[in-house]
Amino acid sequence: MRRVALLALGWLAVALGSLGIVVPGLPTTGFFVFAAACFARSSPRFERWVLGLPTIGPMVRDHRAGLGMPRRAKVVAIGMMLTACSLSSLALGSPLLAVVVMGAGAIGTWYVGWRVPTRESVLASRADSGTSGPGAAGSQPA
C-alpha cells in the first residue's frame, strides 16, 4: 500500500513539474526532486528515468549532491517569479490581493536567491577545500 501511494505521489509530482515547464511561476525542478524521492522508495526504474531526463535529470542530481542551482537558472527563476507576480498583481484589481501576491513573490525571491545554494559557488568552495563531495577521499587535511 505504501509503495502504491509513493508511486502515485511521484507521478503527481511529475505531472505538476511538467506543467511547470510551460506555466510561468510554477516550479519544475522541485516537483521532479520530490518525484525522484518518491520513486527512490517505490520504483528504482522510475527514479532512474527521472535522473536520466536530459534537462531535469542533471538538476535533480545536483540537488541531491548539495550543489543547488546554476547561477543562470537562479536568475531566470527569480525573473520569472517577479514577472508572474507583477502581472498577477496588476490583473487582480484588488490592492490587498496584490500585496499578498507580491509578498509571496518576495519570499520566493528571498528563498531562491539566498537559501538555495549556487552551483558555481559550491563547486568553487569544494575546489578550494580540496573536496569533491561528502565523504570524498582526501577530504581531511593530512
Side-chain angles (χ1 to χ4, degrees), residues 35-89:
C38 290
F39 292 150
R41 291 162 182 78
S42 62
S43 172
R45 178 177 138 217
F46 292 136
E47 178 191 22
R48 284 190 305 274
W49 173 74
V50 169
L51 296 174
L53 291 171
T55 54
I56 300 297
M59 288 188 265
V60 174
R61 290 191 302 271
D62 285 353
H63 173 78
R64 283 185 168 181
L67 295 176
M69 293 174 70
R71 183 169 280 110
R72 183 175 185 283
K74 284 178 106 172
V75 169
V76 169
I78 289 170
M80 292 298 284
M81 277 191 293
L82 293 178
T83 301
C85 289
S86 298
L87 293 174
S88 296
S89 294

Side-chain angles (χ1 to χ4, degrees), residues 91-107:
L92 286 171
S94 165
L96 179 61
L97 288 176
V99 168
V100 170
V101 169
M102 290 308 290
I107 291 169

